[in-house]
Amino acid sequence: MRMILFSSRQYDVDTFNAANAADAAFGFDLHFQESHLDADTAVLARGFDAVCPFVNDTLDAAVLERLREGGTRFIALRSAGFNHVDLAAAARLQLPVARVPAYSPYAVAEHAVGLILALNRRLPRAVARTREGDFSLHGLLGFDLHGKTVGVIGTGMIGRVFGRIMAGFGMRVLAYDPGTPAADLLALGAQYVPLDTLLAESDVVSLHCPLLPSTHHLIDDAAIAKMKRGAMLVNTSRGGLVESNALIGALKSGQLGHLGLDVYEEEGGLFFEDHSNRPLQDDVLARLLMFPNVIVTAHQAFFTREAMDEIARTTLANLAAWRDGEPRNLVQLPA
Ligand code: NAI
């Protein structure tokens, strides 16, 4: 059975080859393709039973039709998120789509915490300063997380781990999730509140819900206006949850005090690549990168050794399960 992995980098080659060799149930014929998957590159998948895209690949109706024509019968996402797939088109074309529902919620939650600490204590600025022989402290004043309020939007696997860590800092934890409240967070004293209450009372707001039509631009001008003045916003979930244009005005006015982004609305074609020799064409991102109280990382929250190994193992297990007629981890079309 042959599978082509789009947008693959050396770390994908290493982890997938290792996982493929480690389990006798696998032994797949894997091909690694650096190109993104889109309407122009879909032809490269011709003759492959399965296609394995990454988060910024395009899987709209046109691409899925081309894949189907080329003989593809299975889409094995190597991500938890599936907002980049036209699920209705995949269902119409009878192309099952599997994902990796959980690999390491710790990886993403810990990265969100890393952003919070780095923003609060201005670590990038502090490190740059000491490297230059400047050992002054002006401009580096932070605040105790202990005793402050953190708002967790989305308490699924990642949000729960994040909430538990923040409770460990001695923060008051507020949560918003339309689903069932997480028992472990309730046991730690977290309170589920309406979204507006969470925004109004939190010193730090962290996003851990999926990108859906209902959550697109969940954080826009109006939502930011409801936040505490000078609060911190952290997004390690999906760029489209936040209206990027709303951020600049809020940072300039001081309504937003700190911003940590691991994902960005227009990250496709930019993140996961080295663009350092070219002028940045995205004016919004260029402006965001200029603020001293903003940290942007390039969708690296998932990127730990444990998470990468688990992603490779589960993706190949999904392929094996489908091959054996017992598909698992299929993404269902939302009702
Ligand atoms: P999950 O499915 O376990 O949890 C998502 C939670 O969000 C659920 O409890 C759901 O009820 C809740 N939710 C749905 N709509 C909501 C709304 N309107 N407001 C608040 N909550 C809402 O997902 P998991 O594993 O916790 O992942 C969360 C997100 O993290 C993923 O959807 C993905 O976009 C992102 N992610 C980012 C990574 C990165 O490297 N930056 C890596 C992995 C995931």
Side-chain angles (χ1 to χ4, degrees), residues 103 154 156-158 176-178 208 210 215 236-238 262 299 302:
Y103 38 94
M157 279 172 295
I158 296 170
Y176 169 71
D177 191 314
H208 299 286
T215 58
T236 55
S237 201
R238 281 293 179 268
D262 184 55
H299 207 139
F302 73 99

Side-chain angles (χ1 to χ4, degrees), residues 7-326:
S7 301
S8 50
R9 301 288 177 269
Q10 189 58 47
Y11 43 80
D12 298 303
V13 177
D14 294 342
T15 50
F16 271 82
N17 280 339
N20 199 28
D23 192 327
F26 299 161
F28 297 112
D29 183 4
L30 302 179
H31 285 245
F32 296 92
Q33 179 55 245
E34 272 198 34
S35 314
H36 288 299
L37 172 61
D38 59 25
D40 294 328
T41 59
V43 67
L44 297 170
R46 187 166 284 277
F48 285 92
D49 309 287
V51 165
C52 180
F54 197 44
V55 289
N56 290 329
D57 286 323
T58 304
L59 289 114
D60 58 14
V63 169
L64 291 167
E65 275 161 24
R66 284 184 197 192
L67 294 179
R68 195 76 179 90
E69 279 163 24
T72 298
R73 290 173 296 138
F74 185 63
I75 307 289
L77 303 181
R78 58 179 194 277
S79 58
F82 50 86
N83 51 286
H84 51 313
V85 187
D86 183 337
L87 292 175
R92 178 168 48 78
L93 293 162
Q94 296 186 317
L95 265 176
V97 179
R99 68 180 184 124
V100 183
Y103 38 94
S104 170
Y106 310 103
V108 183
E110 289 171 13
H111 190 74
V113 177
L115 289 175
I116 291 168
L117 293 173
L119 282 165
N120 177 21
R121 309 308 293 266
R122 299 163 206 271
L123 296 181
R125 201 173 182 194
V127 171
R129 205 177 268 188
T130 53
R131 285 225 173 99
E132 291 293 318
D134 176 354
F135 303 106
S136 66
L137 297 183
H138 63 90
L140 302 183
L141 188 67
F143 58 89
D144 283 6
L145 290 172
H146 183 269
K148 301 294 187 308
T149 301
V150 63
V152 190
I153 300 184
T155 55
M157 279 172 295
I158 296 170
R160 280 170 51 198
V161 173
F162 173 80
R164 295 203 302 260
I165 298 172
M166 300 322 283
F169 276 96
M171 294 190 84
R172 171 181 174 232
V173 179
L174 297 182
Y176 169 71
D177 191 314
T180 312
D184 52 351
L185 288 187
L186 291 173
L188 285 170
Q191 290 168 264
Y192 278 80
V193 294
L195 181 58
D196 283 0
T197 308
L198 181 150
L199 294 172
E201 295 190 12
S202 298
D203 301 286
V204 176
V205 172
S206 192
L207 304 180
H208 299 286
C209 58
L211 177 59
L212 304 166
S214 60
T215 58
H216 181 252
H217 287 179
L218 184 75
I219 303 297
D220 57 7
D221 276 319
I224 293 171
K226 290 174 188 160
M227 289 172 69
K228 256 189 182 178
R229 185 165 175 81
M232 181 188 294
L233 175 67
V234 173
N235 186 8
T236 55
S237 201
R238 281 293 179 268
L241 295 174
V242 178
E243 188 183 1
S244 311
N245 279 314
L247 297 171
I248 293 175
L251 285 159
K252 281 166 79 174
S253 72
Q255 171 61 15
L256 212 50
H258 310 261
L259 173 68
L261 297 181
D262 184 55
V263 287
Y264 173 62
E265 213 175 354
E266 303 295 334
E267 70 179 53
L270 204 54
F271 283 15
F272 309 117
E273 319 272 351
D274 180 1
H275 289 263
S276 57
N277 286 324
R278 280 165 263 168
L280 186 54
Q281 299 298 317
D282 186 318
D283 291 349
V284 175
L285 182 60
R287 183 68 183 96
L288 288 175
L289 291 168
M290 291 305 293
F291 287 100
N293 49 349
V294 173
I295 293 179
V296 177
T297 52
H299 207 139
Q300 71 172 79
F302 73 99
F303 199 47
T304 65
R305 197 170 300 119
E306 291 78 4
M308 290 299 286
D309 290 347
E310 190 54 31
I311 287 170
R313 206 194 55 72
T314 304
T315 305
L316 296 180
N318 288 345
L319 179 59
W322 170 76
R323 174 200 61 198
D324 299 341
E326 294 172 355

